[in-house]
Amino acid sequence: MPGSKIPSFSSASELGSAVVDDLEIAGRCQGSSTSRKRSRSQSALRSSIKNVPSPAKRIPPRRSSNAIVDSKGEIKLDLQQCCDDSNGEPMVVSSPKILREERSSDPCFQRSTWNPRDPTQIQAVKEALHVASAPYNIVCREDEQKSILDFCKTCIEQDKSGSLYVCGCPGTGKSLSVKKVKELLVLWAKEAGFQTPEVLSINCTLLTKASEIFSKVIEKFHPHLRNNSCSPLQDLQKLYSQKRQLSSGKMMMIIVDEMDYLRTRDHQVLHDLFMLSTLPYSQCILIGIANAIDLADRFLPRLESLNCKPNVVAYCAYSKDQILKIIQQRLIALGYDIFEPIALEFCARKVAAASGDMRKALDVCRSAIEVFEAELRLATNKEELKIVRFDHMDIALSRAFKPLIVDTIQSLPQHQQIILCSVVKFFWQCKKNATTLGELNRSYSEICKDSHIPPVGMLEFTNMCRALSDQGLLNVGQSKEIKQKRVTLQIDGSDVRFALKKISMLFACNANG
């Protein structure tokens, strides 16, 4: 919020000390039972808290009409043109840090405070953490972004076509970086005196068929060719192979997102697309973006033999520190603390270990906010909640990374859940990994008796075991005698325990398993 004072740290060690102090204070303020519940998880993370990167120290200035771009593509402010309308004198542009310090020293200044019961503030937090909210500055991808920008600059400076292949795992900032490069390239071209390139952005998921991409290029850059008898690809190949008498001189930038969807059995569409940038009179800067890293290995060898191999920029999965830094960058502009530092680090560690997908991390943080809201609605005035804690984040992460098999077990009928519970319990008690239908039926009947549930007959019990076998949860062998059929568990027993831990009547028998 405007005027809010945001603490800054000169080093990671200072941040680590601050986090430890916050945890100790939080432990004293929270109930003793809650503190004991989280102490083990928090202590496991304390040892590595020194590796948490320092948050951004200031908010980048908004781009104005006075913004210019230097030769390196960096945005600067032309202070000579920043004048006050009233007297025409130059304005003094202070950094956000200086402004915060000046305002905090003003006795009339009121520092904004975090009020979790304010729906406006909650909505602002959710919007800041939404994947659709593109940050002004893209952190942790500076090297990749610079490589793409330098490639495009070279093509424009030399009036030369070229192709670039951007690949990496989902949620690693590929599309966001290319979008930012497009903006910086337009600003750089104006500042450097070059004609601004025409840009066409295509998301291949919206195409009805792969070859339709050539029609999109015709519609955008060459609409006069739409009614030709030749195919769009043939029109483009003919156009870029002949010297044109009337040429605008503008480069054409084609950004093809989700390029994976252009795959065909022989990769012909991909080959034809990249070949367009190699034709003698082509002015295309082609940038393909794809999630499949191995896609390049499959179609690049042939492109290399055709002398049209694109440059490759690979995006690695985000690390824990990078995920944490990006989340902090999105939250720091709000001016107040919403999450426990250790909760954010827990989220960053979990997502980095699973996939490194930044979109997943943002979704988990938003889910933790929703868990916090639900608890806030049930809290009494004596149990006022102030911040999203570690346990809120733990619940959100459990929901996000819950295996599909857990959903399957939780959707089963009650008696089939009891059968799985009895299998896990029997194997744990007898130290076995296989049993018979007869032994399993006895274990099942005991659990039903302890839970005060009438057991089903042997025939129906056998049919339910077969149903579980059809779903891949159990394996029921062959035998002439039904009770002697061999039964094994096809899934991990821990998945069964996790799925049934919240069912009170099964939890007691399952806990021992």
Side-chain angles (χ1 to χ4, degrees):
M1 299 294 291
S4 58
K5 187 172 182 180
I6 306 172
S8 61
F9 303 91
S10 60
S11 65
S13 60
E14 290 185 16
L15 175 60
S17 301
V19 172
V20 173
D21 293 341
D22 288 344
L23 290 173
E24 292 175 352
I25 294 172
R28 293 195 296 268
C29 294
Q30 298 292 336
S32 59
S33 60
T34 305
S35 300
R36 286 193 298 269
K37 186 186 298 181
R38 304 201 315 268
S39 61
R40 182 175 300 176
S41 298
Q42 293 177 349
S43 60
L45 292 173
R46 282 174 183 263
S47 60
S48 60
I49 203 69
K50 293 181 180 180
N51 295 325
V52 179
S54 300
K57 294 186 177 180
R58 67 182 183 90
I59 307 170
R62 288 185 175 272
R63 184 187 306 166
S64 67
S65 59
N66 301 311
I68 62 174
V69 180
D70 63 8
S71 58
K72 296 182 179 179
E74 297 178 351
I75 299 176
K76 297 185 177 180
L77 290 177
D78 187 355
L79 300 181
Q80 304 257 339
Q81 299 177 12
C82 297
C83 297
D84 181 54
D85 293 336
S86 60
N87 53 21
E89 295 180 358
M91 295 171 57
V92 178
V93 182
S94 301
S95 69
K97 181 178 179 180
I98 296 175
L99 289 174
R100 288 195 297 268
E101 292 176 352
E102 290 176 351
R103 289 175 178 175
S104 62
S105 61
D106 186 351
C108 298
F109 172 71
Q110 295 292 331
R111 185 183 186 278
S112 62
T113 56
W114 163 240
N115 179 13
R117 295 188 180 274
D118 184 353
T120 304
Q121 291 190 353
I122 287 287
Q123 185 61 30
V125 175
K126 289 182 178 180
E127 289 179 0
L129 294 171
H130 200 283
V131 293
S133 300
Y136 179 74
N137 282 333
I138 302 175
V139 296
C140 304
R141 287 298 182 230
E142 292 84 358
D143 293 341
E144 293 87 350
Q145 185 173 299
K146 184 178 183 302
S147 298
I148 300 172
L149 183 60
D150 289 345
F151 170 81
C152 296
K153 285 181 182 179
T154 301
C155 291
I156 293 177
E157 289 172 341
Q158 299 179 1
D159 193 21
K160 177 184 175 182
S161 61
S163 59
L164 188 70
Y165 181 70
V166 180
C167 59
C169 299
T172 52
K174 302 182 299 297
S175 301
L176 194 61
S177 295
V178 173
K179 182 179 179 181
K180 187 67 176 179
V181 165
K182 180 181 68 174
E183 297 173 0
L184 293 175
L185 189 66
V186 171
L187 291 172
W188 169 83
K190 291 179 179 178
E191 177 64 20
F194 292 98
Q195 289 193 7
T196 305
E198 295 185 60
V199 181
L200 170 63
S201 297
I202 303 174
N203 190 314
C204 296
T205 60
L206 304 178
L207 301 178
T208 55
K209 56 182 180 179
S211 60
E212 188 182 348
I213 189 169
F214 302 113
S215 300
K216 297 293 184 182
V217 176
I218 290 285
E219 291 174 7
K220 173 67 177 179
F221 300 122
H222 314 289
H224 62 284
L225 298 176
R226 282 184 296 184
N227 298 324
N228 280 14
S229 57
C230 299
S231 68
L233 174 60
Q234 291 173 334
D235 284 335
L236 291 172
Q237 290 173 337
K238 183 178 179 181
L239 184 65
Y240 296 159
S241 298
Q242 298 176 355
K243 186 174 182 180
R244 288 169 285 171
Q245 299 297 325
L246 297 176
S247 176
S248 64
K250 284 188 175 183
M251 298 295 293
M252 295 172 292
M253 187 175 182
I254 305 175
I255 300 173
V256 184
D257 203 356
E258 303 291 351
M259 186 177 270
D260 315 60
Y261 285 83
L262 297 182
R263 282 184 295 181
T264 55
R265 182 172 297 179
D266 56 358
H267 299 297
Q268 190 60 47
V269 174
L270 287 170
H271 295 148
D272 291 336
L273 182 61
F274 279 98
M275 281 289 290
L276 291 179
S277 64
T278 65
L279 297 176
Y281 297 102
S282 173
Q283 291 179 303
C284 294
I285 303 174
L286 176 63
I287 300 179
I289 308 171
N291 292 330
I293 298 177
D294 62 337
L295 182 63
D297 298 331
R298 282 177 286 181
F299 77 84
L300 282 183
R302 182 177 171 187
L303 291 178
E304 189 172 8
S305 66
L306 297 173
N307 198 28
C308 59
K309 180 181 179 181
N311 294 340
V312 178
V313 177
Y315 279 64
C316 300
Y318 283 113
S319 66
K320 181 263 297 182
D321 290 341
Q322 289 175 328
I323 292 174
L324 190 58
K325 185 176 181 180
I326 293 172
I327 296 175
Q328 289 172 339
Q329 181 216 25
R330 286 175 172 259
L331 294 176
I332 195 171
L334 298 175
Y336 33 73
D337 295 329
I338 299 101
F339 295 86
E340 277 186 346
I342 200 168
L344 286 182
E345 184 181 351
F346 183 43
C347 172
R349 284 182 179 277
K350 184 75 173 181
V351 174
S355 62
D357 189 336
M358 192 62 225
R359 295 175 299 185
K360 191 75 169 179
L362 294 175
D363 288 341
V364 168
C365 288
R366 285 169 58 85
S367 178
I369 291 286
E370 294 171 358
V371 174
F372 172 75
E373 284 184 285
E375 186 173 335
L376 191 64
R377 286 192 291 268
L378 299 176
T380 63
N381 293 332
K382 295 181 180 180
E383 300 172 339
E384 189 67 24
L385 298 173
K386 293 293 186 181
I387 199 168
V388 180
R389 302 190 308 265
F390 182 93
D391 50 327
H392 299 137
M393 187 66 73
D394 190 23
I395 295 173
L397 284 165
S398 298
R399 292 175 178 175
F401 291 99
K402 183 170 63 175
L404 180 62
I405 193 66
V406 172
D407 286 332
T408 302
I409 296 172
Q410 291 178 343
S411 63
L412 290 173
Q414 184 185 69
H415 281 276
Q416 293 186 24
Q417 290 180 341
I418 297 176
I419 291 174
L420 288 178
C421 184
S422 61
V423 171
V424 173
K425 181 179 179 181
F426 181 84
F427 288 167
W428 180 82
Q429 289 178 340
C430 301
K431 308 298 181 183
K432 294 181 179 180
N433 56 10
T435 184
T436 62
L437 276 180
E439 291 178 328
L440 182 58
N441 181 259
R442 285 192 291 271
S443 177
Y444 156 81
S445 300
E446 291 175 1
I447 293 178
C448 288
K449 182 179 178 181
D450 294 339
S451 303
H452 305 287
I453 299 174
V456 299
M458 186 64 192
L459 180 60
E460 188 174 354
F461 174 81
T462 304
N463 291 334
M464 286 193 295
C465 288
R466 287 173 179 168
L468 292 172
S469 178
D470 292 338
Q471 297 184 68
L473 304 178
L474 292 180
N475 182 37
V476 180
Q478 300 293 328
S479 177
K480 294 181 180 180
E481 180 66 29
I482 293 179
K483 292 186 178 182
Q484 296 301 318
K485 289 186 176 182
R486 191 170 183 267
V487 180
T488 56
L489 188 64
Q490 296 294 97
I491 58 176
D492 196 326
S494 61
D495 289 335
V496 178
R497 289 192 291 269
F498 180 82
L500 303 179
K501 68 179 181 180
K502 293 185 179 180
I503 302 178
S504 57
M505 65 180 179
L506 297 180
F507 182 78
C509 66
N510 198 17
N512 294 329

